Amino acid sequence: MTTSVTLQTVKKRYGALDVIHGIDLQIDPGEFVVFVGPSGCGKSTLLRMIAGLEEISGGALLIDGERMNEVPPARRGIAMVFQSYALYPHMTVYKNLAFGLETAGMKKAEIDPLVRRAARILHIEPLLNRKPKALSGGQRQRVAIGRAIVREPRIFLFDEPLSNLDAELRVKMRVEITTLHRDLGNTMIYVTHDQVEAMTMADKIVVLNGGHIEQVGTPLDLYNTPVNQFVTGFIGSPKVNFLAARVESHDSGRPLLRTGDQVVRLPRQIDLATGTDVTLGVRPEHLEHREDGGILLSHATITLIENLGGETVVYARLPDGQPLTMALDGQQKVVIGQEIPVSVDSRFLHVFDGAGLAI
Amino acid sequence: MALPKLPAAPETSGAVTGGRKGWLARAWAANGAGYMFLLPWLIGFFALTAGPSLVSAYLSFTDFDLLRAPNWVGADNYERIFTADAKFMASMRVTLFFVIFSVPLKLAFALAVAVALNRGLRGLPLYRAIFYLPSLLGTSVAIAVLWRQLFARDGLVNSFLANFGIEGPSWISHPDYSLWTLIILSVWQFGSPMIIFLAGLRQIPADMYEAASLDGASKSRQFRKITLPLLTPVIFFNAVVQTIEAFKAFTPSFIISGGTGGPINSTLFYTLYLYQEAFRHLRMGYASALAWVLVVIIAVFTAASFLSARYWVHYDD
């Protein structure tokens, strides 16, 4: 069963304060959509509006084409997994899973197979008689997901469900949720501030900032062709380098930019007047420490090295003082204080105007 | 390699380092300031609580009457209480009736008000203070006197009922109703448990209710299945405290019945009977025995409450 979700100029207002400023979004049946953005960007509010836990101040929410603004949460065919899990502490795992079905008036004989099926999917059968306080974080998370599964909803909503787990468990649960989506095929909307979760789980990422959508696209769309500096900065780890540059002159219509100790010839024709300040965006993993790795950006002095085994993260400083991070393949023979050339393949060079928009 | 020479340790006197005096001196040196801070409480505890308790325990085995030196009578006082004192049984019946009805009613009323106040009302602190006021005034003599005026034959309650053509009795003088006026007075003093319920309600995470509403639970089902179970630790606390308070209730009965526990012993609280024995009949030894019986009864109730708690009180962790 797959379901579409449509947001038409959806707004949220608390008194005089606008927090969601008219969002238009189409979520196709069976998609795994991730809302990502910094704290306070409105991603959880938007999710709660879809769930029916927050009123919609303006615009329309359609589920399978049907307007849902005034429909109570329980009748939207939605199940939600909360950040805190929201398990009922006085009930056993079995009772937690069965609560929604009991509320719907189902008989015990009907409830039991559904609960056991959900428990089987999530490997929590041995935990059914335990109370939440006797479960680990990961087990609680599974129960919370089980409570969603058991109701056989049209849409699953996840509100930062992994943020209370340790790093190792987070990776494990990430895989499990992705697998669950593949197995069930339901439409899922997932909120996180962790761009790695967004990149690894999503069919489609919605980047939110200040109650606006900055960009919607597949993870690789956002990585390769971000529309602005905010999206570029939000996607990717280690974080993208932004280097201040100025148009010094032109060569055959192509601007020549000064950054660090080099003049960089942009690989494409861009209409920029001499003296214009721009920002170059270069991802750490696209930088190379050799003269002939594409465009020579600058020389840099190494200030810190992190050897991760399969990768070496080098922190450096350009002659004009700008910081730079490089993620180099393998184990590199570099030392702190060493001056190295920094180059980048021109395909991976992003240029932003003064307003932060990609040029 | 030669070790560097350490400075010599300061010499200590034999009085400090050896024996009992040394131990006391060290304890005083280490914690003297703490004991000084504790001193006012320690004096109060030993002079006003522990001391009198031990003395009353002793007196309960005597025939002390304030006028003559106490004579040891063994368990005679206790034997009389349980075998030959009809008034003991009457006062116990009244007290148990009062406890059984006033505590649940007061808790239910307090919870209802707390739930109402927990709905994000504007001016909540003001309402909280207003509802708490009766608890501050409730056990005072003035309020007990006011209660007499309310429930007397020509009191406000009957004046109100007269509007509907109902001629009410003198509620405080009628043996069938007098105890109920005291129960109502007790329920009216709901402020203290209400404040605690309110604090408990605010501890219940909002996402529990959100999860329940997504599950389709109505407000009443949410109250029964989430609020009440998660509030059981607070309900338990309030129940124990209020039960103990109810067993110890004295002032309302004393003022409203004029110290008699009438009409026909219908408001004869246990503590009032104890008071009569001690200060009207000067049977201090017997009153002490009554006091210790009350202590044991309260202890048994409390212990039973704690034993039962494991079956109905839900602690998160």
Side-chain angles (χ1 to χ4, degrees):
Chain A
M1 184 169 60
T2 52
T3 301
S4 68
V5 178
T6 309
L7 304 180
Q8 294 175 338
T9 326
V10 165
K11 292 179 184 171
K12 180 65 188 177
R13 201 174 299 118
Y14 293 110
L17 180 69
D18 287 329
V19 291
I20 301 286
H21 306 274
I23 282 187
D24 291 294
L25 180 67
Q26 175 64 38
I27 297 171
D28 293 327
E31 263 190 325
F32 195 121
V33 174
V34 174
F35 293 171
V36 71
S39 296
C41 70
K43 54 189 186 297
S44 285
T45 305
L46 197 57
L47 191 81
R48 291 167 59 80
M49 288 160 81
I50 295 170
L53 299 174
E54 296 279 354
E55 273 183 33
I56 297 171
S57 310
L61 164 71
L62 311 180
I63 294 180
D64 276 342
E66 189 184 344
R67 183 181 161 94
M68 286 285 147
N69 291 38
E70 296 79 21
V71 176
R75 296 213 202 117
R76 295 187 182 195
I78 278 171
M80 184 160 165
V81 178
F82 292 82
Q83 182 176 359
S84 63
Y85 317 134
L87 299 179
Y88 308 124
H90 54 292
M91 297 183 194
T92 61
V93 168
Y94 187 100
K95 283 278 182 188
N96 264 282
L97 295 182
F99 182 79
L101 304 177
E102 284 172 1
T103 304
M106 288 175 71
K107 291 178 182 154
K108 282 185 178 174
E110 297 169 315
I111 291 171
D112 191 65
L114 293 173
V115 169
R116 295 197 182 280
R117 173 180 162 266
R120 201 164 44 247
I121 290 171
L122 291 160
H123 313 294
I124 52 172
E125 286 164 299
L127 311 177
L128 284 174
N129 292 321
R130 289 200 205 165
K131 287 193 175 169
K133 67 182 172 188
L135 304 178
S136 69
Q139 289 169 334
R140 288 180 196 198
Q141 184 59 68
R142 281 207 185 85
V143 176
I145 296 171
R147 198 168 61 180
I149 289 177
V150 80
R151 294 180 51 222
E152 299 185 336
R154 293 193 287 175
I155 305 164
F156 284 91
L157 306 181
F158 295 87
D159 189 4
E160 305 209 35
L162 308 185
S163 56
N164 291 340
L165 303 180
D166 61 49
E168 192 182 340
L169 203 51
R170 213 155 45 215
V171 173
K172 194 174 170 206
M173 289 305 298
R174 210 162 69 196
V175 173
E176 289 198 16
I177 292 173
T178 310
T179 308
L180 189 72
H181 175 246
R182 191 192 62 209
D183 293 346
L184 299 178
N186 292 56
T187 306
M188 293 189 178
I189 307 175
Y190 187 103
V191 162
T192 181
H193 62 269
D194 182 342
Q195 56 92 22
V196 177
E197 275 177 31
M199 292 293 284
T200 53
M201 301 172 84
D203 295 324
K204 184 155 84 186
I205 296 177
V206 179
V207 183
L208 290 152
N209 184 29
H212 295 281
I213 290 180
E214 294 282 353
Q215 190 170 358
V216 180
T218 66
L220 290 182
D221 280 345
L222 268 56
Y223 181 84
N224 293 326
T225 53
V227 296
N228 58 32
Q229 211 171 320
F230 178 84
V231 175
T232 315
F234 205 83
I235 302 295
S237 178
K239 201 171 163 59
V240 67
N241 295 292
F242 289 119
L243 301 176
R246 174 168 289 175
V247 180
E248 205 164 72
S249 58
H250 290 79
D251 175 18
S252 310
R254 296 182 180 185
L256 296 172
L257 307 178
R258 173 164 289 282
T259 184
D261 60 357
Q262 296 293 314
V263 174
V264 177
R265 184 170 178 268
L266 279 187
R268 52 190 185 275
Q269 287 196 339
I270 302 175
D271 186 19
L272 285 170
T274 302
T276 307
D277 288 325
V278 295
T279 303
L280 298 179
V282 197
R283 298 197 185 279
E285 58 274 27
H286 293 149
L287 289 170
E288 298 191 56
H289 69 303
R290 55 197 175 101
E291 302 270 355
D292 57 349
I295 300 171
L296 180 64
L297 277 180
S298 180
H299 288 83
T301 305
I302 297 174
T303 55
L304 187 70
I305 301 163
E306 289 176 350
N307 286 307
L308 305 178
E311 184 184 58
T312 304
V313 179
V314 173
Y315 298 91
R317 199 163 285 282
L318 303 189
D320 60 2
Q322 297 192 71
L324 188 83
T325 307
M326 306 171 73
L328 305 172
D329 281 341
Q331 297 168 16
Q332 300 289 331
K333 290 195 171 87
V334 288
V335 292
I336 291 173
Q338 182 183 345
E339 188 179 278
I340 54 171
V342 179
S343 58
V344 62
D345 185 327
S346 61
R347 289 175 301 161
F348 301 130
L349 192 62
H350 303 280
V351 185
F352 304 99
D353 64 14
L357 297 175
I359 304 171
Chain B
M1 192 176 72
L3 289 171
K5 197 173 179 183
L6 293 172
E11 284 193 12
T12 49
S13 72
V16 172
T17 54
R20 181 180 163 78
K21 193 176 176 188
W23 175 82
L24 277 175
R26 280 198 303 276
W28 178 253
N31 302 311
Y35 288 123
M36 287 304 290
F37 279 110
L38 268 178
L39 200 58
W41 182 86
L42 284 173
I43 291 171
F45 176 71
F46 284 112
L48 303 174
T49 304
S53 297
L54 289 174
V55 171
S56 83
Y58 163 71
L59 291 177
S60 73
F61 294 98
T62 71
D63 64 355
F64 185 49
D65 61 1
L66 276 183
L67 305 174
R68 288 167 298 171
N71 292 313
W72 184 265
V73 295
D76 283 4
N77 288 332
Y78 291 99
E79 193 181 328
R80 190 187 138 205
I81 286 171
F82 292 111
T83 58
D85 188 352
K87 220 169 174 186
F88 161 77
M89 291 309 295
S91 67
M92 187 49 72
R93 264 196 304 274
V94 168
T95 303
L96 282 176
F97 188 91
F98 178 74
V99 169
I100 288 167
F101 283 95
S102 73
V103 173
L105 284 173
K106 184 196 268 193
L107 293 186
F109 194 63
L111 180 58
V113 175
V115 168
L117 288 181
N118 194 39
R119 293 185 176 173
L121 281 179
R122 270 191 191 173
L124 176 62
L126 178 68
Y127 288 114
R128 218 164 37 201
I130 290 171
F131 284 121
Y132 192 69
L133 268 179
S135 294
L136 294 176
L137 306 170
T139 51
S140 70
V141 173
I143 292 301
V145 170
L146 171 69
W147 226 245
R148 276 185 79 97
Q149 302 303 318
L150 277 174
F151 289 99
R153 178 174 294 280
D154 55 354
L156 277 176
V157 171
N158 280 346
S159 300
F160 176 73
L161 291 176
N163 293 328
F164 304 99
I166 301 169
E167 189 185 343
S170 172
W171 304 94
I172 54 173
S173 307
H174 196 295
D176 289 346
Y177 307 124
S178 53
L179 186 54
W180 280 102
T181 65
L182 298 186
I183 290 171
I184 293 169
L185 175 58
S186 167
V187 172
W188 186 61
Q189 298 157 20
F190 64 91
S192 173
M194 182 270 289
I195 293 284
I196 297 169
F197 277 136
L198 198 53
L201 286 169
R202 297 192 151 212
Q203 293 298 312
I204 300 175
D207 54 17
M208 298 275 169
Y209 295 109
E210 290 176 348
S213 71
L214 280 165
D215 279 338
S218 62
K219 290 286 178 199
S220 73
R221 184 168 166 82
Q222 287 178 28
F223 182 75
R224 283 182 289 113
K225 296 291 182 178
I226 295 169
T227 307
L228 278 182
L230 294 185
L231 211 56
T232 49
V234 179
I235 294 172
F236 175 62
F237 173 81
N238 270 335
V240 169
V241 170
Q242 293 304 322
T243 301
I244 292 171
E245 288 299 313
F247 269 115
K248 286 163 53 189
F250 172 77
T251 312
S253 163
F254 181 80
I255 299 298
I256 287 173
S257 71
T260 65
I264 321 173
N265 292 336
S266 62
T267 60
L268 185 65
F269 283 176
Y270 190 90
T271 49
L272 181 58
Y273 175 49
L274 191 159
Y275 170 85
Q276 289 175 347
E277 284 296 306
F279 296 103
R280 193 160 294 168
H281 307 302
L282 300 184
R283 291 194 278 260
M284 285 292 171
Y286 191 67
S288 296
L290 285 170
W292 275 96
V293 168
L294 181 62
V295 167
V296 170
I297 289 169
I298 290 175
V300 167
F301 259 83
T302 308
S305 302
F306 273 89
L307 284 174
S308 75
R310 68 180 65 171
Y311 301 106
W312 65 276
V313 179
H314 305 287
Y315 291 104
D316 192 5
D317 288 309

